[in-house]
Amino acid sequence: MKKFALIRSCGLALLLSISTIAFSQSDVSGLIKSGPADATKLTQAYLKPLFKGFGVGLNSGWNNSAHSKNLLRFDLRLGLTGTVVSPIDETFDLTKIGLSSNVRPTNPAQTLTPSFAGEKSQGASLSIYDSANQPIETFAMPKGTGFGLIPTPQLQGSIGLPKGIELQVRATPKVNLGKDIGTIGMMGAGVKVELLPLFSGMADKIFPIDIAVAAGYTEFKFEAPLDVKVPVGAIPESPAQVKDFSNQRIEAKFSGINAEAIISKRFLVFTPFLSLGYHQAKTEGGIKGNFPIITGVTPLGQKTYTNYSNPVNIKQTDINGFRTNIGFQLNLAFFRIYGSYSMAEYNSFNGGIGFGLGK
């Protein structure tokens, strides 16, 4: 029963994370009105704190001790990371992200707009112009969520192997959470090597600490449907325009690599640790499918649309740098409690519980 409760808890944490992403789907889909190149830049700027925060979370919670598990000893842990968005990323300036001259702030005095993690105030308004400098569309940037803490869950299993090696696996099967939220799936693997036992069986008596190196990779995939219809009253720019817009969706793949050196010391049931490492996180995805985008106006004043396929495509590195972690592990028979704090570009904290057999 405890195992099933742990899995249900992880599912709820995953749902929390994806609900955070899904909250902005309808808003972000409106950004495609500006056309593919500008929509991509607007999406990147608006979702920047989400991409970074989720990347930090994927790389967190791998280790809370330098000691590798003894041969065939194992545990199963559930953790949750909260990544604190840097205040500088709560807003961005529309005039400084490289938009084309066809997309301009409606009010030149209002160019600052909330990002995903910004305040819930209405975003700045943008006007779109055609090649003849005629205004054809106006839209408002999405509001912020007011949520400056990005949650990321981890469900991880670990087992001890010979020679002070510990194998770690993260996995969540592909799950469809409904048409309004979408499909998620996560996988990852890591390894930790305790160093002192490699040199001498007496090393732990000479050096009363544990030292290890570790590395891990995590990949999280997300897909959700969109439904952006042809604007009322608009007509195709030409008879050849696509009429089927049923394949609209958001796709995203978040991936993270974490490498660290760890030092820890066990005091009965309490083990504090310190680690120094490097981590990198990437985002790949976008808004996919066929979308009707207003691109012109007839001499009679009727708007015309052009179909754009896959209008937003993002492939970028969000996090690339060093981090420091400090935390602890508490062993109470087969029950574990974990906690840590990480200092980097985006600071974060991680906490979790686990169940295991042996050291």
Side-chain angles (χ1 to χ4, degrees), residues 47-354:
L47 293 181
K48 179 180 179 180
L50 176 63
F51 293 156
K52 284 191 173 185
F54 210 73
V56 170
L58 286 181
N59 288 328
S60 299
W62 278 105
N63 300 285
N64 294 84
S65 169
H67 175 66
S68 293
K69 299 190 182 308
N70 295 334
L71 182 61
L72 299 183
R73 299 300 186 179
F74 65 90
D75 72 12
L76 178 67
R77 64 164 68 180
L78 170 66
L80 183 67
T81 296
T83 303
V84 182
V85 175
S86 173
I88 197 172
D89 287 337
E90 292 180 356
T91 60
F92 64 97
D93 192 325
L94 292 166
T95 64
K96 296 181 179 180
I97 59 173
L99 296 176
S100 70
S101 59
N102 292 333
V103 181
R104 314 166 201 166
T106 305
N107 179 358
Q110 186 183 3
T111 63
L112 207 62
T113 192
S115 70
F116 175 88
E119 296 182 358
K120 293 183 179 181
S121 57
Q122 182 61 59
S125 177
L126 287 166
S127 295
I128 304 170
Y129 297 79
D130 63 13
S131 57
N133 205 34
Q134 298 182 84
I136 56 175
E137 191 84 50
T138 298
F139 69 97
M141 287 294 297
K143 297 179 180 180
T145 63
F147 200 61
L149 191 69
I150 309 299
T152 313
Q154 301 93 23
L155 178 60
Q156 177 176 316
S158 303
I159 187 168
L161 300 178
K163 304 293 184 180
I165 298 174
E166 180 180 311
L167 179 65
Q168 304 157 335
V169 176
R170 291 180 170 181
T172 300
K174 189 174 181 179
V175 178
N176 191 331
L177 299 175
K179 65 179 182 178
D180 293 330
I181 297 178
T183 302
I184 63 169
M186 182 173 67
M187 58 79 64
V191 63
K192 178 169 66 176
V193 181
E194 192 174 351
L195 297 180
L196 295 182
L198 296 178
F199 300 105
S200 168
M202 297 293 292
D204 59 340
K205 301 184 185 303
I206 300 173
F207 302 97
I209 57 173
D210 297 317
I211 301 174
V213 292
Y217 172 82
T218 312
E219 183 175 288
F220 187 97
K221 292 184 178 180
F222 168 69
E223 182 175 328
L226 289 173
D227 185 19
V228 178
K229 302 183 183 300
V230 175
V232 176
I235 61 174
E237 185 271 335
S238 70
Q241 294 301 314
V242 171
K243 305 292 194 303
D244 181 11
F245 303 105
S246 61
N247 61 350
Q248 299 173 358
R249 64 200 184 279
I250 288 179
E251 291 182 358
K253 181 177 78 172
F254 304 91
S255 60
I257 297 174
N258 180 72
E260 57 187 332
I262 314 160
I263 182 171
S264 68
K265 169 64 177 176
R266 181 165 181 167
F267 300 95
L268 298 177
V269 298
F270 179 71
T271 304
F273 81 94
L274 173 69
S275 72
L276 300 174
Y278 163 84
H279 67 145
Q280 183 183 85
K282 297 182 178 181
T283 299
E284 184 175 351
I287 299 177
K288 308 294 185 176
N290 298 322
F291 290 84
I293 299 177
I294 298 297
T295 54
V297 180
T298 68
L300 297 178
Q302 189 171 28
K303 293 181 178 180
T304 61
Y305 72 82
T306 301
N307 171 69
Y308 284 98
S309 296
N310 305 333
V312 174
N313 292 281
I314 296 172
K315 188 175 183 180
Q316 63 187 32
T317 298
D318 305 299
I319 298 290
N320 188 23
F322 294 93
R323 69 191 300 187
T324 302
N325 297 286
I326 185 170
F328 71 92
Q329 174 175 296
L330 189 62
N331 287 19
L332 302 173
F334 63 89
F335 183 65
R336 316 275 191 266
I337 299 175
Y338 310 98
S340 64
Y341 183 76
S342 175
M343 291 163 281
E345 180 184 0
Y346 275 25
N347 294 339
S348 63
F349 57 86
N350 175 272
I353 59 173

